[in-house]
Amino acid sequence: MCVCVCVCVCVCQVLTMDLERHAAELQGEGLSGGATPIINIPHISARLYNYEPLTALRTLRASVFGRLVCVRGTVVRVSNIRPLCTRLAFTCSGCSHTHTLTLPHGKFTTPTKCVQPQCRSRSFIPNRSSPLTLTVDWQNIKVQELIGGEQREAGRIPRTVECHLTSDLCDSAVPGDTVTITGTVRVSGSRGKKDKCMFLLYIEANSVSNSKGSCRSVIVSSGIEFSLKELYAIQEIHSQPDLLKLIVHSLCPAIYGHLLVKAGLSLALFGGSQKHADDKNRIPIRGDPHILVVGDPGLGKSQMLQAVCNVAPRGIYVCGNTTSTSGLTVTLSRDAGSGDYALEAGALVLGDQGLCCIDEFDKLGHQQQALLEAMEQQTISLAKAGLVCSLPARTSVIAAANPAGGHYNRAKTVSENLKMGSALLSRFDVVFLLLDVPDESHDRRLSEHVMAVRSGKGGASGAVVTRGDYHQSQSSLLEPSDTPLSDRLQACPGECVDPIPHSLLRKYVGYARRYVHPSLSTAAAQTLQDFYLSLRSHTHPVDSTPITTRQLESLIRLTEARAKLELRETATKSDAEDVVEIMKHSLADTFSDGSGGLDFERSVLGVGMSQRSAAKRFITALNTHAQRTHTMLYDLTQLRSLAKDLNIQVADFEGFISSLNEQGYLLKKGHRQYQLQTI
């Protein structure tokens, strides 16, 4: 690192000359008492920042060996801090003379022979406790390249490189942080076969710039920078008359319809404003909305998720059937060389301050429980092998799931269709249902759109999707406004909507997330409060209604995102009304009882209308049996026999018992054993 050494020498010379001049002035004025002043220069480390141009990790080849490079990526692995010996003292076995030897790059070497003329011994003993032995802190991190949008290449594994940090650079990053590292490319021996002349590239870091904690963290972490031409393009997009409609039609133009779903996904792209409940304790309040899209197969859920991931400044796309719990959160692995434990970041940590799109969400199984803390607290806690830590996971989760059985059954709740606990479902701000309802006019328009897209002629993606006849007699709470949002988002006949390119839309989203931090106006806050109180008033006080302050916070987050979409610092009443319509659309799907009314008890009890009476009769019979036999513990065979005596027929009896366990009527005590909780 000749350049850095030269910079260090220059800095030392400048400081020495300045201190000597200052000491001479003090001595000339007689302030030093006639004694020669002592010039004490502290340790100086020269760090190089803003070295350009940035080098992509995939271009780190043999041609850059020994050169100074600057790379940017995401930290995926961090090792423990260990002492590295830079100068080691040796004691001669013959004359006991002490020798010191500099160890370049931490490679252990011994003196060739003793420098004493009367000795010339070649046997030396390392003296690690000698004051001449110098050590520095050393840490190894692994950096993965940033992959977003057009940088994605199918079938290519993301490139990674190891970086060695020393001295004050240690402990400057944790898994999930996006860092810019300037350093020299070095090589080390292969860890495989000893007789193979193969080297491994690594970077000996000179400076580490971490974006965490700065006001520019959202954009620096995603690697987005704005040129003058792009700023003019952002200004041109902002000047469009109906910006929400333009962005909705630009999000995924190949998918026909689903305008309100695309509007909700667009709001999740921009996100709300993260706040703190108490400036003294700095308790964070989540500003990232979570969205769940449930529907029948073949309706374009995966395409919409991939489009959102491509547009996001920092997006991670994973599939539920090929993802493990450690792949979502954090992995604790053992280093093969030193045996120490190291942290490896998962998808939620890598998507910090961005989006994490999870497809096939229903295939996660028990791994869904790993998302409970990350979705609400936005942190991931780890306690393994004596290591306890907490990593940030400030990301919006956008999930797509297919119902069990392949088709959504409206007689069941969302929890029953997905076989998912209500605790995880309550974390989602908005739940959208995509139903494949046969309709002749809609099917004709859909087929025309698909044929037009396939032939390269474009299509009219702004058509209204018919949702069936169950909305014909809607509840008064869900009556649409005078000008529904779905009608305003629909493209007029003959209107040609020119979609924004994804590369430019990504710049616009990044600009809004970086510079715009809106707050609610008085009128918008009153609108959201009135809607929340109306939801609360439509439920019975004796029921533990699912309409809680979480729904109110969801409304606030989405309203702030609606204002951020138009680069406004204040959310107006119209923004709140648009979000209320999106929430009404979601509530109509989630709580509709099939006849147009709202049945909030469906999701409270966790079962649909078909199993409501069966659960009540079964629990009543269990209470009677427990009072007669004075027993509270039942195994699954006894429960099945009792259900058979009551003529209770359900398709999935174990799922029926599991739902009673989630509702608190039964407590699982062991394998296939349950304890009755109510007498």
Side-chain angles (χ1 to χ4, degrees), residues 193-220:
K193 297 180 179 180
K194 301 297 183 182
D195 58 346
K196 214 168 187 179
C197 276
M198 183 177 295
F199 296 141
L200 299 177
L201 284 177
Y202 71 93
I203 296 179
E204 186 177 348
N206 173 259
S207 66
V208 178
S209 177
N210 196 336
S211 61
K212 181 176 61 177
S214 63
C215 59
R216 303 173 62 242
S217 59
V218 176
I219 301 305
V220 174

Side-chain angles (χ1 to χ4, degrees), residues 168-209:
D168 57 308
L169 297 181
C170 294
D171 206 14
S172 59
V174 297
D177 290 348
T178 299
V179 294
T180 303
I181 297 179
T182 304
T184 308
V185 180
R186 303 290 186 188
V187 293
S188 61
S190 175
R191 300 189 183 95
K193 297 180 179 180
K194 301 297 183 182
D195 58 346
K196 214 168 187 179
C197 276
M198 183 177 295
F199 296 141
L200 299 177
L201 284 177
Y202 71 93
I203 296 179
E204 186 177 348
N206 173 259
S207 66
V208 178
S209 177

Side-chain angles (χ1 to χ4, degrees), residues 194-484:
K194 301 297 183 182
D195 58 346
K196 214 168 187 179
C197 276
M198 183 177 295
F199 296 141
L200 299 177
L201 284 177
Y202 71 93
I203 296 179
E204 186 177 348
N206 173 259
S207 66
V208 178
S209 177
N210 196 336
S211 61
K212 181 176 61 177
S214 63
C215 59
R216 303 173 62 242
S217 59
V218 176
I219 301 305
V220 174
S221 62
S222 58
I224 287 187
E225 298 177 356
F226 304 102
S227 63
L228 184 60
K229 183 178 180 180
E230 290 167 348
L231 291 175
Y232 278 121
I234 292 173
Q235 185 179 7
E236 182 68 22
I237 294 175
H238 178 247
S239 62
Q240 297 299 316
D242 198 347
L243 189 54
L244 178 60
K245 177 180 177 180
L246 177 61
I247 292 180
V248 165
H249 286 268
S250 304
L251 185 58
C252 191
I255 299 300
Y256 178 78
H258 308 307
L259 297 179
L260 289 180
V261 179
K262 292 181 181 180
L265 296 178
S266 301
L267 297 184
L269 267 175
F270 290 88
S273 301
Q274 187 174 9
K275 302 180 180 65
H276 294 84
D278 188 358
D279 292 337
K280 183 178 180 180
N281 296 327
R282 303 295 291 175
I283 301 175
I285 298 178
R286 175 166 62 95
D288 300 306
H290 305 311
I291 293 182
L292 175 63
V293 181
V294 186
D296 300 330
L299 296 182
K301 300 186 298 296
S302 299
Q303 286 88 336
M304 285 191 285
L305 253 66
Q306 290 186 353
V308 171
C309 185
N310 291 334
V311 171
R314 186 175 187 180
I316 303 294
Y317 179 87
V318 295
C319 199
N321 53 3
T322 57
T323 303
S324 61
T325 302
S326 57
L328 282 176
T329 55
V330 179
T331 306
L332 185 64
S333 60
R334 187 184 291 271
D335 192 356
S338 62
D340 293 336
Y341 286 102
L343 293 176
E344 294 188 8
L348 292 173
V349 180
L350 293 179
D352 185 34
Q353 296 181 339
L355 269 70
C356 183
C357 300
I358 305 177
D359 201 2
E360 305 293 344
F361 193 70
D362 55 303
K363 308 299 190 303
L364 284 175
H366 297 291
Q367 303 163 11
Q368 297 170 348
Q369 307 304 319
L371 301 174
L372 291 175
E373 179 191 4
M375 293 181 65
E376 186 62 30
Q377 309 300 329
Q378 294 197 307
T379 57
I380 294 177
S381 301
L382 180 68
K384 291 182 180 178
L387 181 65
V388 180
C389 65
S390 180
L391 297 178
R394 297 159 294 181
T395 176
S396 293
V397 176
I398 300 180
N402 294 319
H407 186 72
Y408 193 87
N409 187 0
R410 295 203 61 85
K412 299 181 179 180
T413 62
V414 178
S415 178
E416 286 179 315
N417 277 279
L418 296 181
K419 296 186 180 301
M420 187 185 304
S422 57
L424 183 60
L425 279 177
S426 65
R427 259 70 170 179
F428 288 99
D429 295 41
V430 183
V431 178
F432 291 111
L433 293 187
L434 302 183
L435 304 181
D436 190 6
V437 181
D439 181 80
E440 183 179 357
S441 60
H442 166 64
D443 293 342
R444 182 183 297 108
R445 291 194 298 267
L446 175 60
S447 61
E448 291 175 355
H449 171 77
V450 172
M451 296 302 295
V453 170
R454 288 290 185 176
S455 61
K457 300 179 182 178
S461 61
V464 178
V465 178
T466 306
R467 305 183 58 82
D469 299 333
Y470 65 94
H471 280 174
Q472 290 182 358
S473 57
Q474 282 187 333
S475 169
S476 59
L477 182 63
L478 301 183
E479 290 182 356
S481 58
D482 297 335
T483 56

Side-chain angles (χ1 to χ4, degrees), residues 145-187:
E145 65 179 334
L146 295 173
I147 299 180
E150 68 275 356
Q151 298 179 358
R152 286 188 175 90
E153 298 179 14
R156 188 174 70 84
I157 300 176
R159 299 291 191 266
T160 59
V161 65
E162 290 188 354
C163 300
H164 294 177
L165 312 182
T166 56
S167 301
D168 57 308
L169 297 181
C170 294
D171 206 14
S172 59
V174 297
D177 290 348
T178 299
V179 294
T180 303
I181 297 179
T182 304
T184 308
V185 180
R186 303 290 186 188
V187 293

